[in-house]
Amino acid sequence: MSAPGAGRARRRAAARTSGCRRRRRRRRRRRRRPVVAGAGGHGGDGGQRRRRPLRAAERRAGPDAAGRRGHAAVRLRRRAVARSKTREAYAEKLQRLGFGGPSGPNAGREIFGTAYCTALYLRQRLGGAPTPKAYVLGSAALAAELEAVGVTCVGVGPEPLQGEGPSAWLDAPLEPDVRAVVVGFDPHFSYMKLTKAVRYLQQPSCLLVGTNMDNRLPLENGRFIAGTGCLVRAVEMAAQRQADIIGKPSRFIFDCVSQEYGINPERTVMVGDRLDTDILLGVTCGLKTVLTLTGVSTLGDVKSNQESDCMSRKKMVPDFYVDSIADLLPALQG
């Protein structure tokens, strides 16, 4: 005969043993989850810290997505902080940050930024023009990419108001034979430039092209400045025209990469910090997606999209996320 309470003691012991088994199984499952573990927060301090993956994202990605090797490392670069750069400048920056890649005179050939892809787009659209010319609201780097494919650029740099009022502004001389207005990030954007852009666009054959639609650019300490999308919207509104957008989430920039390198979408990962551009592009093109939390979008934004009834918002959910872009370095170097 058992002592009083012995049955309860055995049941408690069995429950403890069963609980230990369950905890061990959960730990093993967590180790197998297809997610890049966070190693350091926004400051990249390198502290070892695991993050739980997003459950819906994990189910969509499949159990072996992160474990596969040999994904094509496609760099769809948007911009450095506030300024457009040439492909060579981006290649140098990637080397400096430790992401590797080619070096030397032709290092920029593997970098596909919006400036370069805008140049490819204009070369396609203006190919029949004997001397294609564009009015550029953007940086010297953007103009350099256009010039490299034979598109003459005007308008780069400061342009203050000319004259005392609207009549004088409208009488300011225009360049002849301008076939496109190109809007990129332009710290010298002004009312005079906007007025000239509208005058060029009164010609129906003049193209309106925007490099990207980023509404703001993040800086350190949670600060930000207005992005290129704000300038594109201003020109669209004034000209009553809709721009052809080259950068993410338009798939044109990915098509440029695919045509050059024969990229297999099933073996390609899109990494970015914005749900409405980077992640949406990846989903649109059938790529696996990784959100890095050191930029614009947050996990709260992801969860809000997951729980939304709007199908367009549900598309903006990444397969994986990392705390910092630096967390990807071990995978790239492994």
Side-chain angles (χ1 to χ4, degrees):
M1 181 178 293
S2 300
R8 287 194 299 273
R10 282 195 298 272
R11 285 193 294 273
R12 284 196 296 271
R16 283 195 297 272
T17 302
S18 177
C20 289
R21 290 196 191 103
R22 283 196 299 270
R23 284 192 292 274
R24 283 196 295 270
R25 283 197 297 270
R26 282 198 296 268
R27 284 196 292 270
R28 285 196 294 270
R29 281 198 298 269
R30 278 198 295 269
R31 284 194 292 270
R32 291 196 297 267
R33 277 174 177 160
V35 64
V36 181
H42 295 268
D45 58 10
Q48 296 300 315
R49 178 159 49 91
R50 293 192 64 87
R51 284 268 201 175
R52 289 195 65 189
L54 303 171
R55 292 179 180 176
E58 177 185 302
R59 286 197 298 271
R60 190 174 74 191
D64 63 340
R68 292 193 297 265
R69 296 286 180 152
H71 286 294
V74 181
R75 299 178 179 90
L76 302 183
R77 302 298 294 176
R78 180 173 62 254
R79 40 88 188 129
V81 175
R83 298 297 179 101
S84 298
K85 292 179 180 293
T86 62
R87 291 182 293 162
E88 289 72 19
Y90 275 128
E92 181 183 340
K93 182 175 183 179
L94 289 170
Q95 285 276 352
R96 189 170 67 251
L97 294 176
F99 284 90
S103 58
N106 297 320
R109 295 184 61 183
E110 293 187 12
I111 309 298
F112 285 76
T114 54
Y116 173 63
C117 291
T118 298
L120 297 182
Y121 181 79
L122 288 182
R123 186 172 65 183
Q124 291 176 10
R125 295 293 305 274
L126 303 180
T131 55
K133 186 184 295 184
Y135 182 65
V136 176
L137 290 81
S139 67
L142 172 58
E145 294 285 11
L146 300 184
E147 297 271 4
V149 300
V151 178
T152 302
C153 297
V154 296
V156 176
E159 190 160 3
L161 283 172
Q162 301 175 23
E164 297 300 325
S167 295
W169 305 338
L170 293 174
D171 288 338
L174 296 179
E175 290 281 343
D177 303 320
V178 168
R179 302 290 302 277
V181 171
V182 180
V183 186
F185 183 84
D186 188 356
H188 301 295
F189 188 85
S190 65
Y191 194 82
M192 193 69 217
K193 286 191 171 187
L194 180 60
T195 302
K196 281 193 173 183
V198 171
R199 292 172 65 195
Y200 285 122
L201 291 168
Q202 287 177 341
Q203 300 297 323
S205 60
C206 185
L207 303 176
L208 174 56
V209 181
T211 59
N212 68 79
M213 288 302 293
D214 289 353
N215 57 357
R216 61 185 188 179
L217 305 178
L219 303 178
E220 295 81 6
N221 303 318
R223 298 181 299 167
F224 59 86
I225 58 175
T228 301
C230 303
L231 311 185
V232 175
R233 287 292 190 224
V235 177
E236 285 183 328
M237 181 68 73
Q240 294 293 287
R241 296 270 298 272
Q242 185 171 356
D244 298 329
I245 304 302
I246 303 304
K248 302 165 286 186
S250 167
R251 67 171 298 134
F252 180 81
I253 192 168
F254 181 73
D255 291 339
C256 291
V257 183
S258 298
Q259 291 169 13
E260 183 76 18
Y261 289 100
I263 297 298
N264 178 5
E266 295 181 355
R267 304 283 293 171
T268 306
V269 175
M270 178 67 202
V271 181
D273 64 359
R274 301 181 71 110
L275 296 174
D276 59 344
T277 56
D278 304 318
I279 302 306
L280 184 55
L281 172 69
V283 173
T284 301
C285 298
L287 317 178
K288 287 292 182 287
T289 55
V290 179
L291 176 70
T292 177
L293 299 178
T294 48
V296 176
S297 299
T298 66
L299 287 182
D301 298 328
V302 175
K303 194 162 186 63
S304 177
N305 287 348
Q306 285 178 323
E307 296 172 350
S308 173
D309 295 329
C310 177
M311 291 306 298
S312 61
R313 289 185 60 189
K314 283 185 177 294
K315 290 181 180 179
M316 294 185 284
V317 174
D319 294 306
F320 312 104
Y321 73 89
V322 290
D323 286 330
S324 166
I325 192 72
D327 298 336
L328 298 177
L329 283 173
L332 294 175
Q333 295 167 352

